Amino acid sequence: MKKDFDREKCIGLLREKANELSERGENRFPKRSDFSEEEVVAVKAFLGPWPRALEASGLKEDRAEDLAEARRQKRRRARIRRRENGNSGEGLPK
C-alpha cells in the first residue's frame, strides 16, 4: 500500500516517533531504523539528510546557527593573529 507523503506528514512522523520513544523512556532521537524504508525515503526526500530532517522537525537544535557563529569566531581569531604577526592581510585574496 502506497502512502502519500508531504513535508508536513514527514515532520509529523518524526515527531510522533519521538513522542513514542519518550513515553517508553528512551532518551534518544528517532533513527532511520525506527521507520519503514518507504518512510525513510520520504523523510529524506522532503527534509534532506537525516540530521537536517531532525532539525526541520524541531527535534534537534539547528546547527546552521552554531556553524555561522563558529566561522565568525574563526575569522576573528585569524584577524587577531595577523595583527599580532604584523601582517595586515594586504595582498591576500578577498
Side-chain angles (χ1 to χ4, degrees):
M1 180 172 107
K2 185 177 179 187
K3 296 180 185 176
D4 289 329
F5 292 101
D6 62 17
R7 181 178 170 80
E8 294 307 314
K9 286 183 182 176
C10 290
I11 289 173
L13 279 172
L14 289 169
R15 288 181 178 171
E16 189 177 305
K17 183 57 75 173
N19 287 337
E20 280 180 32
L21 292 169
S22 178
E23 288 172 1
R24 286 190 285 181
E26 294 186 46
N27 188 21
R28 65 176 176 86
F29 296 117
K31 298 182 206 175
R32 288 182 288 269
S33 60
D34 294 329
F35 300 92
S36 71
E37 184 177 344
E38 182 181 359
E39 291 169 332
V40 171
V41 168
V43 167
K44 290 177 77 176
F46 285 103
L47 304 175
W50 202 257
R52 301 303 83 75
L54 295 174
E55 291 168 3
S57 64
L59 299 176
K60 194 173 180 183
E61 187 176 323
D62 188 358
R63 113 183 188 164
E65 294 174 15
D66 294 339
L67 290 175
E69 180 58 28
R71 276 189 231 108
R72 280 192 290 276
Q73 292 294 330
K74 184 176 179 180
R75 286 194 299 268
R76 285 183 192 126
R77 287 191 306 270
R79 201 174 324 129
I80 291 168
R81 264 195 310 275
R82 283 193 305 267
R83 286 182 191 149
E84 289 172 351
N85 293 334
N87 182 359
S88 64
E90 293 176 13
L92 293 176
K94 294 186 179 191

